Each structure stands twice: as structure tokens, then as C-alpha cells.
Amino acid sequence: MEVLIAANAEEAATFAAEAVLHGLASRKTGNPVLGVATGSTPLGLYSELAQRVARGEADFGSTSAYALDEYVGLEGTHEQSYRQTLINELCHVIGVKEENLHTPNGFGDSEEQIIAQAAAYDAQLTEAGVDVQILGIGTNGHIGFNEPGSSLGSRTRIKRLTAQTRADNARFFDGLDAVPTHSVTQGLGSILQARRLVLIATGSQKADAVATALEGALSAACPASVIQLHPDVVVVLDEAAASNLKNRRYYDDAAAGLQFGI
Ligand code: F6R
């Protein structure tokens, strides 16, 4: 695991962009496949990638994107659906074509239908083979919407949101009551299939979750700790999100070594 601690948000976006582009470039055959997150955290990265596209250093015209999650009960055309959010914040920003954006479908006539759609999405994901999965982290340690207690081997499925997650996301809705109670999310086992994981966290509200995920025990109680099992993880933090890490000195030494190609 590489832990890169940036001086500010701009530097964090640069580190994350490098990690994403290197991961995509290492694909041997076929078009690149990018796993994408919604929420506030990856917006700086998407903007940094857009600048590289504008400078001719990157091109996402042939890239497929697969979302981590979607709310249950919102159609893909709903303005707060993650599909719509990604069309606005990813497709229109870095140039992934809308027809190449894949999102779980949390809308249907019955629970059985949504369960079947989730399983089909998981199969599609496995078939595509995600090169790089971008991850944010919840204040409770979730990744995707795998809330504490999620099976470390879980697959894409319906997951109830915790009260904390609904409160955290109420800022995107007209009040807490409007926040859906359930999501369809890639499972932790599904996320681990990606060839590289790039987890980004910024702000002091993430400091506890980050320390538990990186330096605590592997445990369903902190779903993000599952990244400890993955062989190729880059964690990009700002100073505030890194503030509770015990091994900070080591991460800095290791990162300095990387810069000199050691
Ligand atoms: C979003 C997702 C979530 C967020 C997490 C952090 O697709 O899967 O795990 O990454 O809730 O959200 P922000 O970035 O808004 O703090």
C-alpha cells in the first residue's frame, strides 16, 4: 500500500490523477475500464483529469466507466441519482461517453427485480475487468455503500444506508427525509477485483475512518480496511485526513523514496 500525503487539495488531485493514469496505462489489451465514485471527494481528481485532457495528455473517449453504487428508488434520470451525477461530474468533465457509463440500476417494480439487476451488474463488472477503482471513504469507514458489518466478500447487492450516511448525504437532497434509505452497491469482494484501487480522503472528518482503515485490524466493522488485502492500493490524503495516522513518518519516507525512483 502506498500512502501519499499531499500538502493541499490541488496536490492531492495531482497525486490521484497520476495513480489513476498509470493504472489505466498498464492495461495490456482492450479499452481502459475505470471504476468511479460519486460524492465530493473525487471532484478535484476529475477536474485535474479534465485539465490533462485539455492539454492533450489524457483521453477518455474509449474508456468505460463503472459506478460503485446507486440509490434504490431513484430512476437514472433523477437529478440526485448517481447516474445523473456522474453524467454531470464525470462524463461532461473528462469526456467519458454517456453510452460508456455503467451504473447499477436501483429502480424497479419489485425487490426481486432490483436484486436481479444487481447480480447482472456484478457479472458485467467481472466481465469488463476494472483497471482502476477510485474510492472515497465515509465517515463511518464505508466504501461504496458497504456500511459497517458488510461481508468482506460481498458482491453487488441492496444495502440499507446507516443513519449517519443518510445524514452525511442530506446536503444533496431537500432534507433528510428525501434521502433514500437503501442503495445498490458493489460489494467489498467486487471492489477487490479491480487491478488497482485509488482511495482518496480529505478533511478532518475522515481522519478517524482513515486511521482505522489503514492501521486498524482487517474487519467488517470498518469496511474500508478490506483494502489491506489488495496488492495494488494507492491512498491519497490531505494533512487533515492523515492527522490520526501513527505511521506517518514511514509513509513520508517511503513516498520520498518513490520520487527518487528507489
Ligand atoms: C460514492 C461512494 C461513497 C463516498 C463516501 C464519501 O459513490 O461510494 O463511499 O465515496 O460516502 O463521500 P464524500 O466524498 O462525499 O465525502
Side-chain angles (χ1 to χ4, degrees):
M1 190 186 302
E2 277 175 37
V3 181
L4 305 174
I5 300 163
N8 51 45
E10 290 72 37
E11 193 176 48
T14 308
F15 288 170
E18 291 294 329
V20 167
L21 292 172
H22 276 113
L24 292 178
S26 65
R27 186 178 184 95
K28 297 208 170 50
T29 55
N31 291 326
V33 182
L34 182 60
V36 291
T38 48
S40 307
T41 310
L43 296 179
L45 163 63
Y46 297 152
S47 150
E48 173 66 26
L49 291 174
Q51 288 173 41
R52 292 175 190 233
V53 170
R55 295 200 298 264
E57 296 164 12
D59 179 4
F60 296 94
S62 64
T63 299
S64 294
Y66 283 80
L68 276 171
D69 39 23
E70 180 58 281
Y71 289 114
V72 166
L74 301 190
E75 281 190 87
T77 49
H78 188 287
E79 63 167 346
Q80 293 310 337
S81 71
Y82 278 179
R83 178 162 190 88
Q84 247 346 280
T85 304
L86 285 167
I87 287 171
N88 295 331
E89 295 176 352
L90 180 87
C91 296
H92 294 169
V93 173
I94 71 168
V96 168
K97 295 186 179 124
E98 243 176 88
E99 65 263 31
N100 291 337
L101 172 67
H102 306 269
T103 52
N105 186 356
F107 196 78
D109 292 330
S110 65
E111 190 177 337
E112 289 69 33
Q113 186 187 335
I114 298 172
I115 290 170
Q117 287 166 182
Y121 186 75
D122 202 86
Q124 212 186 347
L125 204 60
T126 304
E127 170 78 22
V130 174
D131 294 305
V132 179
Q133 177 65 57
I134 297 163
L135 296 169
I137 182 170
T139 53
N140 64 1
H142 73 213
I143 51 174
F145 276 136
N146 294 282
E147 301 285 32
S150 292
S151 158
L152 299 178
S154 50
R155 310 298 309 189
T156 305
R157 69 209 182 292
I158 298 176
K159 193 74 193 165
R160 190 178 172 93
L161 302 177
T162 61
Q164 186 178 342
T165 297
R166 293 185 66 237
D168 285 348
N169 288 3
R171 66 191 192 278
F172 298 115
F173 290 85
D174 291 334
L176 184 58
D177 288 346
V179 184
T181 55
H182 290 76
S183 67
V184 174
T185 180
Q186 285 190 35
L188 296 172
S190 320
I191 291 169
L192 286 181
Q193 282 184 161
R195 286 197 301 112
R196 164 173 280 195
L197 305 179
V198 177
L199 186 145
I200 312 163
T202 52
S204 58
Q205 74 281 10
K206 301 292 174 69
D208 283 344
V210 165
T212 309
L214 270 57
E215 297 178 341
L218 172 66
S219 166
C222 179
S225 66
V226 80
I227 68 170
Q228 296 175 23
L229 289 172
H230 197 284
D232 183 359
V233 183
V234 180
V235 179
V236 179
L237 307 170
D238 68 359
E239 288 288 346
S243 57
N244 286 353
L245 291 173
K246 291 199 182 69
N247 296 329
R248 166 69 193 264
R249 172 78 196 273
Y250 175 73
Y251 305 136
D252 287 346
D253 287 351
L258 279 180
Q259 281 170 15
F260 292 103
I262 296 166

